[in-house]
Amino acid sequence: MRESVQAEVMMSFLVSEELSFRIPVELGYETCDPYAVRLTFHLPGDAPVTWAFGRELLVDGVGGPCGEGDVHIAPLDPDTLGEVLIRLQVGSDQAVFRTGAAPLVTFLDRTDRLVPLGQEGALADFDAHLDETLDRILAEEQSAG
């Protein structure tokens, strides 16, 4: 059974210290990929851009700075549950978004009610999906090599 949680939040896209604008961002979570959340950014004049990363990273980032590589999440003020910064990076290009922690916590609470943190591996659909994905990747590598 494929179940999901969806939400839409407004985030500020921080272009520079002087310039930012608000954009709608769709938050998504599906039981067929229980470790990941997806954020789809709707930038004016561009096609939507979706980033997928670990749900646990978003959980941890609401409470304190975390992340390595392309995704970094941190509260604006570690002493309060106010706003959160999400930094996405590809090479030397980066985009920074600011949003309230409350809608993220509400979204994460809904995902936790669907699949409690730590229970992701118990989903049979996930194991089948993982096997199918790994088989496809191996077949692509063998045909390319």
Side-chain angles (χ1 to χ4, degrees), residues 21-94:
F21 54 92
R22 297 186 51 77
I23 62 167
V25 178
E26 295 173 29
L27 307 175
Y29 177 79
E30 295 184 353
T31 56
C32 65
D33 190 4
Y35 290 100
V37 294
R38 285 174 175 68
L39 277 64
T40 301
F41 299 90
H42 296 274
L43 298 168
D46 280 332
V49 175
T50 300
W51 279 71
F53 53 86
R55 174 172 63 153
E56 195 169 343
L57 177 64
L58 187 57
V59 170
D60 292 345
V62 168
C66 67
E68 295 180 18
D70 297 342
V71 181
H72 294 262
I73 303 173
L76 196 58
D77 178 358
D79 296 329
T80 65
L81 190 60
E83 292 187 304
V84 174
L85 292 177
I86 300 173
R87 186 183 62 163
L88 307 173
Q89 187 163 345
V90 176
S92 63
D93 295 330
Q94 72 175 346

Side-chain angles (χ1 to χ4, degrees), residues 1-143:
M1 178 187 299
R2 183 179 191 152
E3 297 182 66
S4 65
V5 173
Q6 306 295 321
E8 184 174 297
V9 300
M10 293 301 290
M11 293 188 183
S12 293
F13 175 37
L14 307 177
V15 179
S16 68
E17 287 187 29
E18 301 83 26
L19 179 63
S20 68
F21 54 92
R22 297 186 51 77
I23 62 167
V25 178
E26 295 173 29
L27 307 175
Y29 177 79
E30 295 184 353
T31 56
C32 65
D33 190 4
Y35 290 100
V37 294
R38 285 174 175 68
L39 277 64
T40 301
F41 299 90
H42 296 274
L43 298 168
D46 280 332
V49 175
T50 300
W51 279 71
F53 53 86
R55 174 172 63 153
E56 195 169 343
L57 177 64
L58 187 57
V59 170
D60 292 345
V62 168
C66 67
E68 295 180 18
D70 297 342
V71 181
H72 294 262
I73 303 173
L76 196 58
D77 178 358
D79 296 329
T80 65
L81 190 60
E83 292 187 304
V84 174
L85 292 177
I86 300 173
R87 186 183 62 163
L88 307 173
Q89 187 163 345
V90 176
S92 63
D93 295 330
Q94 72 175 346
V96 179
F97 300 88
R98 184 179 66 226
T99 189
L104 298 178
V105 170
T106 300
F107 170 76
L108 289 167
D109 181 58
R110 290 175 56 212
T111 70
D112 192 60
R113 281 187 265 139
L114 189 60
V115 179
L117 280 171
Q119 299 298 312
E120 298 91 348
L123 296 176
D125 289 336
F126 177 72
D127 290 336
H129 179 69
L130 179 61
D131 288 342
E132 179 183 306
T133 301
L134 290 174
D135 288 345
R136 189 185 77 244
I137 291 169
L138 289 172
E140 289 172 2
E141 286 181 357
Q142 289 174 351
S143 67

